[in-house]
Amino acid sequence: MAQEQVVTPWEVSGSGAIDYDKLISQFGCEKLEQRLIDRVVKLTGKRAHTFLRRGVFFAHRDFEKVLDSYEKGEKFYLYTGRGPSSEALHLGHLIPFMFTKYLQDAFKVPLVIQLTDDEKCMWKNLSVEETKRLARENAKDIIACGFDISRTFIFSDFQYVGRGFYENMISIAKSVTFNQVKGIFGFDGESHIGKIFFPAVQAAPSFPTSFPHLFGTKSKIKCLIPCAIDQDPYFRMTRDVAPRLGYQKPALIESRFFPALQGESGKMSASDTNSAIYVKDTQKEIKKKIANYALSGGGDTKELQRKNGANLKVDIPFKYLTFFLDDDEELERIRDEYGSGRMLTGEIKNILSDVLWKMVEQHQQARLAVTEEMVDAFMAPREMPFMFEK
Ligand code: TRP
């Protein structure tokens, strides 16, 4: 019997590929339709991001409402985050940040980025000091994605939580029972109380009054959260309590997982270094990992590949190109050539190595340019007078 698929913020498992349609109906979110993507293009005057054109971001909650009010001149803010559990970010970790940067540039809106050092301290059993260090290191990789300092506030929970933020956490916590979080997150009587309380910490940035230095006491400004779909449970809970506390429900735009080199049956694992391409990998390492580990849908021999072509449904080099090769025509050419057998596995793997190295090299250069002063500047609670400016 097929093993039931499990998707929670801490576990993604199942037999075979994730069934994303099933996830949409199970979670109760909506499919991101082409109609909405067309509206984004119209409203921003910018070409749709690769991740929109290729269905990487594929689900949403109330995204249309955000667009409706934006059209009427009402601004919103973006909220995303990262749990700093390791220094080594892989390509999957960059996806929400690359996409959030595009949204920030396209809509010209403020952004808050939560580094949940507290979460990883509890779930990964790391020391407080170590998670704080990791949060700062990860902030450098995030800054390297190119965020605009005049509209981006990055914060670590250990450093920032207090005042308006803490007041919201307590209001949220008061509105959710133990039975509710048991149902949503699967906690039980053995879960320590830190874990049971934590969802209130991840929920709080969805409400603007958690950031008085940005939004003062304005409580009606809308929040849009770009994230991978495994974070949906947190925000289902948040959306449930929002109206009771006098806030708007946060809207969401949600992505698929970036598959491991070994194939599409879950998220890339941060612990298995051969399952992922890391942002610190060298060109040689990238080439080698793709050559040795990327699951191929191509024929077992050159003759079979020429005769039958490749199975693009399982082929990882092709999948990775759908995420990161921006050129639509070139992708179609590869689909055609490789799918029909005129192109061999070695060739598509070379194309992918070049595409990824170009991206990783650029990231490495940008990260080298990030100074400690820049980290301090992004993480300083401050007013951002130009955050809505065109
Ligand atoms: N829990 C997330 C993680 O482990 C981090 C996170 C906090 C986050 N707030 C978020 C992710 C908002 C997306 C959106 O990575």
Side-chain angles (χ1 to χ4, degrees), residues 79-83 114 116 119-120 202 225 227 231 235:
Y79 158 38
T80 191
R82 155 148 182 95
Q114 179 179 43
T116 52
E119 175 189 19
K120 295 304 163 182
Q202 185 154 332
I225 307 172
C227 61
Q231 301 297 307
F235 302 117

Side-chain angles (χ1 to χ4, degrees), residues 92-373:
H93 292 133
L94 287 190
I95 286 172
F97 293 107
M98 293 167 79
F99 188 64
T100 303
K101 148 128 180 91
Y102 149 81
L103 290 174
Q104 180 181 56
D105 288 348
F107 287 99
K108 305 282 182 216
V109 287
L111 159 67
V112 297
I113 301 177
Q114 179 179 43
L115 300 172
T116 52
D117 36 16
D118 50 352
E119 175 189 19
K120 295 304 163 182
C121 180
M122 293 192 280
W123 265 272
K124 301 281 173 181
N125 203 18
L126 297 165
S127 71
V128 170
E129 280 314 311
E130 177 64 359
T131 47
K132 278 163 67 177
R133 189 186 69 79
L134 289 173
R136 224 182 137 83
E137 286 309 302
N138 286 180
K140 293 176 189 164
D141 278 299
I142 293 169
I143 292 167
C145 292
F147 292 105
D148 176 352
I149 195 161
S150 72
R151 36 184 137 231
T152 304
F153 174 49
I154 304 177
F155 64 99
S156 108
D157 288 337
F158 280 140
Q159 250 180 36
Y160 177 69
V161 170
R163 296 160 300 274
F165 195 105
Y166 188 60
E167 291 162 23
N168 279 333
M169 273 167 55
I170 294 301
S171 305
I172 295 160
K174 254 170 87 178
S175 312
V176 185
T177 66
F178 181 41
N179 280 334
Q180 283 170 320
V181 288
K182 265 205 291 205
I184 300 172
F185 299 99
F187 299 142
D188 60 31
E190 292 301 308
S191 310
H192 65 63
I193 59 176
K195 289 188 179 182
I196 295 161
F197 183 65
F198 178 76
V201 186
Q202 185 154 332
S206 315
F207 301 150
T209 53
S210 294
F211 307 99
H213 57 285
L214 299 180
F215 307 117
T217 53
K218 288 195 198 105
S219 59
K220 290 297 175 197
I221 174 164
K222 282 193 164 62
C223 173
L224 172 65
I225 307 172
C227 61
I229 195 157
D230 62 331
Q231 301 297 307
D232 190 81
Y234 285 117
F235 302 117
R236 237 181 286 152
M237 184 198 89
T238 312
R239 286 169 55 86
D240 187 50
V241 302
R244 274 183 279 157
L245 301 179
Y247 293 113
Q248 310 258 358
K249 293 183 179 190
L252 298 161
I253 182 158
E254 302 177 309
S255 76
R256 293 165 196 274
F257 307 120
F258 188 60
L261 283 166
Q262 283 77 4
E264 190 154 40
S265 61
K267 281 205 286 191
M268 281 211 296
S269 157
S271 44
D272 178 0
T273 50
N274 286 329
S275 78
I277 309 283
Y278 291 85
V279 300
K280 286 187 180 160
D281 283 351
T282 62
Q283 183 171 21
K284 231 171 126 186
E285 282 166 333
I286 292 176
K287 258 190 134 48
K288 209 174 111 196
K289 283 188 194 180
I290 293 171
N292 295 346
Y293 303 111
L295 179 80
S296 175
D300 283 343
T301 62
K302 192 168 155 183
E303 289 68 37
L304 282 171
Q305 168 64 5
R306 293 272 187 231
K307 184 159 163 255
N308 303 324
N311 178 358
L312 300 180
K313 281 214 171 68
V314 301
D315 191 86
I316 284 294
F318 185 74
K319 258 196 185 134
Y320 277 24
L321 286 175
T322 66
F323 278 77
F324 294 120
L325 177 64
D326 184 52
D327 185 335
D328 292 337
E329 273 175 36
E330 176 66 358
L331 186 74
E332 283 320 299
R333 187 188 72 83
I334 294 167
R335 187 197 299 280
D336 216 46
E337 295 281 303
Y338 185 49
S340 68
R342 285 190 298 277
M343 182 184 283
L344 300 176
T345 297
E347 298 172 57
I348 190 171
K349 285 189 167 182
N350 281 338
I351 296 173
L352 178 66
S353 297
D354 290 345
V355 168
L356 294 189
W357 172 242
K358 219 171 126 197
M359 197 171 89
V360 167
E361 186 184 29
Q362 195 198 334
H363 181 88
Q364 289 175 359
Q365 282 168 358
R367 194 188 194 280
L368 264 178
V370 178
T371 61
E372 295 299 330
E373 290 71 34

